[in-house]
């Protein structure tokens, strides 16, 4: 079927760029070739030491919709924040510079917003494991939208199979007013974990479309393919903030669900730290203490199901929890 394309709203596309000369052409060209044309494409060169800086400037000469910002290297959060600071669109989307999007990426997300009167639209994605990028998605578009309230969207963050779609900001389109008082946390990895739930609670409704419109390239050296590092503990801090956020809003169901997710993240990270960094005794002991303290809270909670409590009790008897730090 054909979608009616309405170009009246300017849409900002923020692309953080850092040392991805091998992939940058494909990323930028996939954005330039969008069926939705009213775009502001913001390339934030985050201190690249390869040819990315020159490539960004050349593309700006080629297409007037492109704005380029050159800055010192401070990480993806800083680059996205710089893009948000200068964005002038009504809506904003984020594309990582080693990924690509289908030609109707913006069109599909925009129409999902328009047709459902939502403030955030979330698309499906393909994981691409080689450099043979996906050029075009399914010919027939699927308009079986799923609409979620802020609470339902937050709950999706911890429920498979769609949890990753609701955690990451890439592949989504946001009404830019949602970012008025929100920015990505500086110096953190898992930066999306710190922010998306706050964006959901700033929106009236969120729409999900099952169209595979974002090509996520799992390249060597990315966070998801790199060996475990202690920086991964940032995800625990993000979850701690989420628990406090919902407690302050008196959203006790979401707070308890966040507590349960936090418990399992603690256990998973304890395993990783023990295996990869066995000499980090202080970190290991701190994780063990948090697991034991949190297990008591969960077991005594009247709002958490018996099934989940049993799951927590089972985790408490694993040998790795009782090794001496």
């Amino acid at each position: 079927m054909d979608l009616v394309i309405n170009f009246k709203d300017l849409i900002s596309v923020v692309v953080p760029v850092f040392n991805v000369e091998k992939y940058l052409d494909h990323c930028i060209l996939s954005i330039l070739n969008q069926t939705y044309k009213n775009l502001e494409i913001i390339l934030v060169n985050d201190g690249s030491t390869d040819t990315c800086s020159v490539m960004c400037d050349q593309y700006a000469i080629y297409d007037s919709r492109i704005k380029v910002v050159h800055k010192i290297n401070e990480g993806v959060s800083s680059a996205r924040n710089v893009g948000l600071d200068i964005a002038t669109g009504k809506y904003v989307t984020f594309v990582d510079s080693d990924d690509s999007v289908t030609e109707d990426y913006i069109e599909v997300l925009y129409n999902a917003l328009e047709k459902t009167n939502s403030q955030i639209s979330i698309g499906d994605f393909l994981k691409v494991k080689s450099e043979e990028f996906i050029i075009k998605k399914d010919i027939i578009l699927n308009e079986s939208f799923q609409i979620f309230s802020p609470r339902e969207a937050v709950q999706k963050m911890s429920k498979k199979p769609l949890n990753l779609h609701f955690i990451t900001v890439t592949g989504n389109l946001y009404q830019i007013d949602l970012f008025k008082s929100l920015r990505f946390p500086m110096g953190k990895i898992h930066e999306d974990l710190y922010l998306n739930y706050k964006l959901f609670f700033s929106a009236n409704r969120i729409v999900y479309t099952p169209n595979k419109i974002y090509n996520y390239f799992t390249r060597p050296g990315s966070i998801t393919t790199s060996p475990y590092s202690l920086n991964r503990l940032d995800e625990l801090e993000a979850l701690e903030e989420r628990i406090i956020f919902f407690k302050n809003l008196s959203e006790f169901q979401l707070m308890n669900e966040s507590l349960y997710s936090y418990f399992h993240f603690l256990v998973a990270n304890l395993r990783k730290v023990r295996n990869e960094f066995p000499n980090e005794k202080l970190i290991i002991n701190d994780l063990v203490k948090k697991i034991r303290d949190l297990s008591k809270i969960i077991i005594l909670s009247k709002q958490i199901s018996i099934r989940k409590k049993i799951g927590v009790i089972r985790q408490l008897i694993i040998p790795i929890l009782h090794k001496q730090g």
Side-chain angles (χ1 to χ4, degrees):
M1 63 169 293
D2 294 325
L3 291 175
V4 178
I5 307 175
N6 185 344
F7 293 146
K8 68 183 176 69
D9 291 321
L10 179 66
I11 295 177
S12 300
V13 184
V14 176
V15 184
V17 178
F18 178 70
N19 288 356
V20 286
E21 60 185 5
K22 187 176 181 180
Y23 315 103
L24 189 57
D25 280 330
H26 192 82
C27 174
I28 296 176
L29 288 173
S30 74
I31 299 169
L32 292 178
N33 292 330
Q34 289 296 294
T35 53
Y36 192 102
K37 302 299 183 184
N38 192 12
L39 303 177
E40 171 187 64
I41 304 165
I42 303 172
L43 306 179
V44 184
N45 173 38
D46 190 41
S48 297
T49 57
D50 59 5
T51 61
C52 283
S53 174
V54 174
M55 294 172 70
C56 289
D57 288 337
Q58 289 174 339
Y59 273 109
I61 295 171
Y62 171 75
D63 194 306
S64 61
R65 296 176 297 172
I66 293 179
K67 297 178 180 179
V68 179
V69 179
H70 298 287
K71 60 184 292 297
I72 61 172
N73 178 246
E74 294 176 299
V76 66
S77 287
S78 173
R80 287 176 179 167
N81 289 341
V82 167
L84 284 169
D85 289 343
I86 67 171
T88 60
K90 181 178 179 181
Y91 300 98
V92 63
T93 187
F94 303 92
V95 178
D96 286 345
S97 52
D98 52 355
D99 296 335
S100 65
V101 291
T102 58
E103 63 186 21
D104 49 7
Y105 168 74
I106 299 291
E107 179 184 339
V108 169
L109 292 175
Y110 178 76
N111 276 280
L113 287 182
E114 290 285 287
K115 293 189 176 187
T116 62
N117 194 29
S118 300
Q119 290 74 47
I120 301 173
S121 59
I122 297 173
D124 203 348
F125 60 84
L126 288 172
K127 283 190 175 182
V128 182
K129 295 184 179 179
S130 74
E131 292 169 33
E132 296 177 358
F133 295 92
I134 304 299
I135 303 299
K136 187 70 181 76
K137 62 170 199 59
D138 298 337
I139 296 174
I140 300 176
L141 292 175
N142 189 330
E143 285 201 320
S144 57
F145 303 131
Q146 296 180 51
I147 300 173
F148 299 96
S149 68
R151 290 179 186 83
E152 291 168 335
V154 170
Q155 290 171 326
K156 283 290 180 183
M157 295 178 75
S158 57
K159 293 180 181 178
K160 294 180 178 181
L162 295 181
N163 56 322
L164 186 58
H165 304 68
F166 285 77
I167 290 172
T168 181
V169 298
T170 53
N172 304 343
L173 185 63
Y174 300 86
Q175 193 173 89
I176 203 164
D177 288 348
L178 300 177
F179 287 91
K180 262 182 184 174
S181 60
L182 295 174
R183 287 295 185 269
F184 292 92
M186 293 287 288
K188 304 291 183 183
I189 64 171
H190 303 297
E191 65 282 344
D192 299 4
L193 270 175
Y194 286 83
L195 191 61
N196 238 7
Y197 67 91
K198 296 175 184 175
L199 292 165
F200 292 156
F201 259 71
S202 298
N204 294 327
R205 65 179 59 84
I206 299 94
V207 60
Y208 167 76
T209 171
N211 292 285
K212 297 184 183 299
I213 51 177
Y214 190 96
N215 301 318
Y216 174 60
F217 180 42
T218 54
R219 66 182 174 94
S222 66
I223 291 174
T224 54
T225 59
S226 297
Y228 182 86
S229 75
L230 294 178
N231 287 337
R232 298 283 185 93
L233 295 173
D234 284 352
E235 67 184 1
L236 298 178
E237 182 182 320
L239 286 167
E240 289 166 3
E241 285 192 9
R242 192 195 305 180
I243 292 165
I244 294 169
F245 178 83
F246 290 125
K247 181 180 180 181
N248 290 339
L249 290 179
S250 298
E251 290 282 350
F252 297 115
Q253 180 183 353
L254 292 178
M255 183 193 77
N256 284 313
E257 290 176 4
S258 298
L259 282 170
Y260 184 71
S261 295
Y262 180 50
F263 177 86
H264 286 283
F265 272 89
L266 282 169
V267 173
N269 277 276
L270 174 61
R271 286 195 180 100
K272 291 288 188 180
V273 175
R274 278 200 185 277
N275 290 334
E276 304 295 332
F277 301 95
N279 294 324
E280 293 288 348
K281 307 301 184 184
L282 290 177
I283 294 176
I284 290 170
N285 290 337
D286 181 59
L287 290 172
V288 169
K289 184 178 185 304
K290 285 181 176 179
I291 290 169
R292 289 174 175 165
D293 290 346
L294 185 56
S295 66
K296 295 175 185 177
I297 295 172
I298 292 173
I299 292 170
L300 294 174
S301 172
K302 295 180 180 179
Q303 286 79 36
I304 295 178
S305 69
I306 296 295
R307 180 182 61 82
K308 289 182 176 179
K309 290 179 181 180
I310 292 173
V312 167
I313 293 170
R314 285 175 177 167
Q315 291 291 337
L316 289 176
I317 64 176
I318 59 176
I320 201 166
L321 193 60
H322 302 284
K323 292 180 181 178
Q324 291 298 314

